[in-house]
Amino acid sequence: MPNDRYDRNINYLRISVIDHCNFRCVYCMPLDTSKYVSSAGLLTPEEIERVVRSAADIGFEKVRLTGGEPTLRSDLLDIVERIAKVDGIKDLSMTTNGVLLPRMAKALASAGLNRVNVHIDSLDPQRFAKLMRFGTFSEAWAGLEAAEAAGLTPIKINAVVVRGYNEEDVVDLARLTIDKPWTVRFIELMPLGNNECARLAKDNFVPSSDSMRRIETAIGRLTPVDNQNLADESVNYRLPDAEGIVGFISPVSNPYCGTCNRMRLTADGRFHLCLLNDDELDVRAALRSGKGDAEVREILLNAVRQKPTGHRLHEGISTAQRSMFQIGG
Ligand code: SAM
Ligand code: SF4
């Protein structure tokens, strides 16, 4: 298992398969985004498989596919099939806005995908549209239902909380967990990149403590869940008599750098060492210049060794130049 210089066990690889998206969430992607990695620049399914094999060889156990919107990748099933067959990978999941799941969920499950996180910021169709801009609530909800029917469980919902847009909606989202065995996780806004989305993220920040207070006032006490997994970025609770779990991901108010177990691979084949730092190591060049698996492993081990810790988000300072859709959330 690879440990980094802060003795963190890095065993989770988040792979961005594409930087395009069919949504334009206000805090993630500017409306006029027009620069993307070219098709030729994206890692191919074969190249992704090679990286995952190398990762598994040195002890990585979990893989998550993300983006941009991973379901926009036309060869996604091929990618999933290849990763699912890699020895040593025990968990293969995907983060998605869900819109294309009604037509893809069954095939993804058959290809070997274990589970999905669906990103839904509000149960109110109008506020959903205001935040996520290009998608509709009913499409995303149909995607969530398709994922559950296909067995891509346990279902997790991700909601980013944004002042002036959806901070009251945490109550209805949390209420879903009373009858459903789902995990609903509220994410604090991070000002990533250098554009209007980062500015909005800075100005419209809501701390998790506010969301917790709102939920407890409206529904009831949030009791911490026993056996929290320390590598889980989410701090988890249960509402009274609830089937599911309410989680809070608080990178700004409660940084979890000390237990971070992640390495990221960008769509253009760079190991991105930390979401809040621009340091990257190019693995695509090695893959495309005929380098062997030993070299790919060495680049990944170097990435693990150089992984930084700490950030200054709590002071309103972000040093990251790339946005979430470009890195892979
Ligand atoms: N398109 C997919 C989706 O939305 O789930 C996958 C990629 S998206 C970049 C992954 C996650 O990043 C989403 O759950 C989204 O809520 C989160 N995200 C995007 N921008 C963010 C920001 N500025 N701060 C916090 N979370 C953000
Ligand atoms: Fe697209 Fe996901 Fe970013 Fe929203 S958060 S714009 S769905 S990549």
Side-chain angles (χ1 to χ4, degrees), residues 21 27-28 66-70 95-97 117 119 121 158 160 187-192 201 324-325 328-329:
C21 190
Y27 42 77
C28 180
T66 179
E69 177 46 43
T95 299
T96 171
N97 62 36
N117 289 18
H119 173 195
D121 287 339
N158 288 340
V160 182
I187 305 174
E188 282 180 351
L189 264 179
M190 288 177 277
L192 293 183
M324 197 74 127
F325 74 93

Side-chain angles (χ1 to χ4, degrees), residues 12 14 23 25 27-28 64-70 93-99 101 115-123 127-128 131-132 137 140-141 143-144 147 152 154-162 166 169-170 172-174 176-177 182-190 211 232-236 245-251 256 262 264 275 324 328-329:
Y12 180 13
R14 295 173 77 112
F23 281 20
C25 300
Y27 42 77
C28 180
R64 173 174 297 276
L65 302 177
T66 179
E69 177 46 43
S93 59
M94 181 173 78
T95 299
T96 171
N97 62 36
V99 165
L101 284 181
R115 58 198 179 84
V116 289
N117 289 18
V118 183
H119 173 195
I120 295 182
D121 287 339
S122 174
L123 300 181
R127 286 195 292 278
F128 181 100
L131 263 168
M132 304 179 89
F137 169 74
W141 192 259
L144 184 85
L152 293 171
I155 294 284
K156 291 186 182 171
I157 294 179
N158 288 340
V160 182
V161 187
V162 189
N166 69 340
D169 298 346
V170 297
D172 285 344
L173 280 160
L176 290 173
T177 67
W182 299 346
T183 297
V184 175
R185 308 187 315 168
F186 298 108
I187 305 174
E188 282 180 351
L189 264 179
M190 288 177 277
S211 301
D232 188 351
E233 72 267 48
S234 167
V235 181
N236 296 324
I245 285 169
V246 179
F248 297 89
I249 300 180
S250 317
Y256 39 82
R262 288 160 211 116
R264 292 185 153 81
L275 200 52
M324 197 74 127

Side-chain angles (χ1 to χ4, degrees), residues 1 10 88 195 259:
M1 307 259 172
I10 314 300
N195 53 31
T259 53

